[in-house]
Amino acid sequence: MAWRSSGSTNDELVDNLKRFSIVSSPAVERGFRNVDRKYFVPKDQEPIAHADQPLKDGNVHLSAPHIYGSALEALELQENSALSFLNIGSGTGYMSCIVASILGQQSTNYGVEIHKDVVQHSLNAISEWKADADADADAEIPCIDMIHGNALNISMQEGEALIGFDRIYVGAAVDPSDLTKFTSLLKPGGVLVGPVGDELQKIVRIRNSVGEISSDDLSIQVISGVRFASLVSTPILKAVLPSRVWSPSVHQSYPSSFRRSSKELMLCSHSAYNQPLPKESKPKSYVNLAATLPRFVWMEILSYTHRNWFEPPQSNEDFLRHRLKEEEENCRKAHDARMEAEARCHMAERERDVYRLLARRLQARMQLLIQQNGESAIENANAAVDFDDDLMNVNVTGNLGVMLRGFESDSDDDSDSSDEEAMETEDTNQIQNQAIDEDDDNYVFFSDEDDVPAMEESGSSSSESGPNKPSSQISLSPKALVVRPQPRTVSISEET
C-alpha cells in the first residue's frame, strides 16, 4: 500500500499517505502539507516529484515519502516545542524542513551531510522553500543548520553534542557497531529513528544514566524492514555542531524559559540594589544580584549560555512520570492499531471466502463445459460410426462388407453383448433376405450350431470352385452366419 500513495500534487500525495495509514497524526500531516517535495527532488525530476518512490541523481538521493512518514510518526514530535533535532545524512533537507515545520521557531535543527554538492543542493532547496513559505504571514520558519562533515566523526566534546538532542533521524543504514556513536547523542527520553542493518528501528533512551550509555539504558523497537544505502565512512571529515549564540536578534527563537528568565534579569538590572522585605516573609535581607552588574555585562553573559540554561533540572521522579505518560500513550496507540488490524483481517477473511466461493463456482462451470464438450465429441464419434455402418450396409453386396462387420462385432464390449446379438441377428436376417432375393440357388447358409465342413481360403478369384474349394469364408460370432458361396464365382474388387 505504501507504494500506492503517489499523487499528482503534494496535497494528493499527503491524502494518499493518510488514506493508507502511513500518516496518522495531525502534526505530521500538517508538516507534509507545509513542505512541498518538488523543491527537493533532483534536477529534471520535477514531473515525478510527488511519486511515492525514491529518487536519485548522482549523490543527491531522496527516499520515498512513505519512509519519511513512518519515521516522522515514530519520532513523536511535539508541535511548537523547543525540542532539538539532528538529521544524520541529511541529504536534500526534505526531512529536516518537515521536522522544522512541526516543531516551530523555538526548536533547533541540525543536519550533517558528507557530500559537498548535496549540501549545496539542500541549501538551495531550503531557500526556495522558505521563499515560498514567506508568502504566508503566519509562517514561523526556524533556522536549519546544514553541516558539511562525516556523521561518523561528530565531535562529542564541543558544540551541541555536549548537551545532546531530543530527536535524531538517521537517513542511511547504520552498522550495529557504529550505533553507539549516535545513541550517545540522545538526551534522557530522547528518540532515535533510523535503519540499523535492514530494519527501521526506534530507539528511546529510557534512563538518566551518567557516563557512557549501555544497552540497558535504551528501548529498541523494530518498525519495519527497509533497504538503505550504508553511511559513507570516507572521506574522514570532522563534524562540529556549533552551539547557538544568543543575541537580541535571535531571542525569539529561544525557549520560553530562557526568554522569561533573561527578561527578568534585564528588568532587575535597573532596580535598586537594596530591596524591601516582603511583608509576609520572615525578617531577612534581600538583595538584587542583577543590579550588581551593568546591563551590557549581562548581555555578554547571556551570549555564553545555552538555550537550556534556565531549564529546571528534572528529577528522576519527574522523568519516570513523563515516561509513564508516554508509555500509556504508546499503549493506547498500539491498542488502536491492533483493533484496526483485526478489522482489516476480518475484512480480508470475508473477501477470501467470497473469492473462494467464486472460484468454486467457476470450477464447476468449467467442469460442466468440459463434460458437455466431451459428450458432444462422443456423439460426433458415434455419428461417424453410424455413417460407416451405413456405408457397410450399402456395400454389403460383397463378402468384404460382411467380413468387416464381423471384425467390428468381435471388438465390442462384453457388457453390451445382448444389444450386439440383437443387432447382428437383424443384420443377418437382412443379408439372408437379400441373398434369397438375388439368387436362391447361389448361397447356402449355416448357423454356428451347424456342422460346417472344413474349408480352405483361396487367395485368388479363380474360376476353380466347388463344394470343397470355395472362393471365401466369412464367420460372425456369436451366433454369426457363415456364408459359403456355390461354385458360382463372385468377384470382389480391392477398392470395395
Side-chain angles (χ1 to χ4, degrees):
M1 290 186 178
W3 291 84
R4 296 160 53 188
S5 302
S6 301
S8 57
T9 63
N10 188 65
D11 287 336
E12 186 175 346
L13 170 64
V14 179
D15 291 339
N16 291 331
L17 291 173
K18 185 178 178 181
R19 173 188 176 190
F20 295 116
S21 301
I22 305 299
V23 172
S24 57
S25 62
V28 176
E29 178 185 352
R30 281 191 289 269
F32 267 106
R33 295 190 186 278
N34 292 335
V35 183
D36 199 325
R37 193 170 183 243
K38 67 181 181 181
Y39 298 112
F40 304 90
V41 298
K43 187 178 180 180
D44 300 331
Q45 296 190 17
E46 288 83 358
I48 55 175
H50 305 107
D52 190 16
Q53 65 183 45
L55 302 176
K56 186 175 182 180
D57 182 15
N59 293 327
V60 179
H61 180 263
L62 194 64
S63 298
H66 71 269
I67 294 294
Y68 290 126
S70 301
L72 289 168
E73 290 290 345
L75 282 172
E76 301 178 6
L77 302 174
Q78 303 171 12
E79 283 188 292
N80 301 321
S81 63
L83 295 177
S84 56
F85 174 72
L86 174 62
N87 191 352
I88 301 295
S90 55
T92 62
Y94 179 58
M95 181 73 166
S96 298
C97 290
I98 295 178
V99 174
S101 177
I102 296 173
L103 296 182
Q105 192 177 13
Q106 299 180 12
S107 62
T108 56
N109 198 311
Y110 289 87
V112 181
E113 175 58 44
I114 194 171
H115 299 292
K116 186 65 176 179
D117 58 333
V118 180
V119 174
Q120 189 60 44
H121 174 87
S122 64
L123 293 176
N124 296 336
I126 293 173
S127 299
E128 293 181 8
W129 169 65
K130 284 187 175 182
D132 186 43
D134 285 340
D136 187 358
D138 297 332
E140 295 182 356
I141 303 174
C143 179
I144 302 175
D145 294 329
M146 290 295 176
I147 309 300
H148 178 221
N150 193 329
L152 295 173
N153 295 316
I154 294 177
S155 176
M156 302 293 181
Q157 303 301 324
E158 52 186 325
E160 288 289 330
L162 285 171
I163 307 300
F165 293 88
D166 298 300
R167 301 292 185 267
I168 298 177
Y169 173 72
V170 184
V174 181
D175 190 88
S177 60
D178 296 328
L179 186 59
T180 56
K181 296 180 180 180
F182 304 125
T183 56
S184 60
L185 293 171
L186 281 175
K187 290 182 179 180
V191 180
L192 182 148
V193 175
V196 181
D198 292 337
E199 296 178 341
L200 184 63
Q201 295 185 1
K202 175 182 178 181
I203 302 175
V204 182
R205 184 178 175 182
I206 58 177
R207 293 187 181 181
N208 191 6
S209 58
V210 180
E212 186 177 356
I213 300 176
S214 63
S215 59
D216 295 336
D217 301 328
L218 304 174
S219 172
I220 301 177
Q221 175 187 353
V222 177
I223 300 175
S224 64
V226 293
R227 182 62 60 88
F228 276 67
S230 300
L231 279 174
V232 180
S233 58
T234 56
I236 302 176
L237 300 175
K238 184 179 179 180
V240 178
L241 307 178
S243 298
R244 298 278 178 87
V245 178
W246 178 87
S247 66
S249 61
V250 296
H251 181 71
Q252 293 297 326
S253 64
Y254 272 61
S256 57
S257 60
F258 188 96
R259 288 183 288 140
R260 183 175 58 253
S261 299
S262 60
K263 180 181 178 180
E264 293 177 358
L265 283 174
M266 296 301 174
L267 292 175
C268 293
S269 63
H270 292 284
S271 301
Y273 178 77
N274 295 319
Q275 296 292 317
L277 296 175
K279 296 180 180 180
E280 298 180 358
S281 62
K282 297 181 180 178
K284 187 177 179 180
S285 61
Y286 283 87
V287 295
N288 182 12
L289 295 179
T292 59
L293 296 175
R295 182 174 180 178
F296 72 92
V297 177
W298 283 116
M299 299 279 288
E300 186 68 18
I301 292 174
L302 290 176
S303 66
Y304 286 95
T305 59
H306 189 265
R307 63 197 316 272
N308 295 330
W309 185 267
F310 297 103
E311 289 286 348
Q314 189 179 31
S315 63
N316 290 332
E317 182 180 354
D318 294 337
F319 175 75
L320 293 176
R321 186 180 294 109
H322 177 70
R323 288 300 306 160
L324 178 61
K325 291 182 179 179
E326 290 182 351
E327 292 299 329
E328 289 177 350
E329 180 67 17
N330 292 336
C331 289
R332 184 189 64 79
K333 291 181 180 179
H335 176 72
D336 295 342
R338 182 176 63 85
M339 297 300 294
E340 183 179 357
E342 290 179 354
R344 290 199 300 266
C345 181
H346 180 67
M347 185 179 298
E349 290 178 352
R350 293 182 58 186
E351 292 180 357
R352 180 203 62 190
D353 295 339
V354 171
Y355 290 141
R356 183 178 294 174
L357 179 60
L358 293 176
R360 289 177 178 174
R361 290 182 178 178
L362 181 60
Q363 183 181 11
R365 291 182 180 180
M366 292 178 63
Q367 292 178 351
L368 180 60
L369 291 174
I370 293 173
Q371 183 179 0
Q372 291 177 351
N373 292 335
E375 292 177 353
S376 300
I378 293 174
E379 291 177 358
N380 294 334
N382 292 335
V385 172
D386 294 339
F387 180 75
D388 294 339
D389 291 344
D390 294 338
L391 290 178
M392 289 182 181
N393 292 333
V394 171
N395 299 323
V396 78
T397 55
N399 293 334
L400 181 60
V402 180
M403 180 178 65
L404 293 177
R405 292 192 59 81
F407 290 157
E408 183 181 69
S409 62
D410 290 338
S411 62
D412 289 338
D413 208 88
D414 294 339
S415 60
D416 299 332
S417 59
S418 60
D419 296 333
E420 293 173 355
E421 291 175 1
M423 294 175 61
E424 291 171 355
T425 303
E426 183 179 357
D427 293 339
T428 302
N429 294 332
Q430 292 179 358
I431 295 173
Q432 290 177 351
N433 295 331
Q434 183 179 359
I436 293 171
D437 292 337
E438 289 183 357
D439 192 350
D440 293 340
D441 299 331
N442 293 336
Y443 294 92
V444 178
F445 298 94
F446 300 91
S447 65
D448 286 348
E449 296 176 355
D450 297 335
D451 185 12
V452 182
M455 295 177 289
E456 295 180 358
E457 182 178 358
S458 175
S460 63
S461 58
S462 63
S463 60
E464 182 181 0
S465 61
N468 297 328
K469 292 183 179 182
S471 61
S472 62
Q473 173 185 344
I474 303 298
S475 176
L476 301 178
S477 176
K479 295 183 179 181
L481 177 67
V482 178
V483 181
R484 186 179 64 187
Q486 292 294 326
R488 176 182 176 181
T489 301
V490 179
S491 177
I492 301 175
S493 65
E494 294 181 358
E495 293 180 358
T496 308

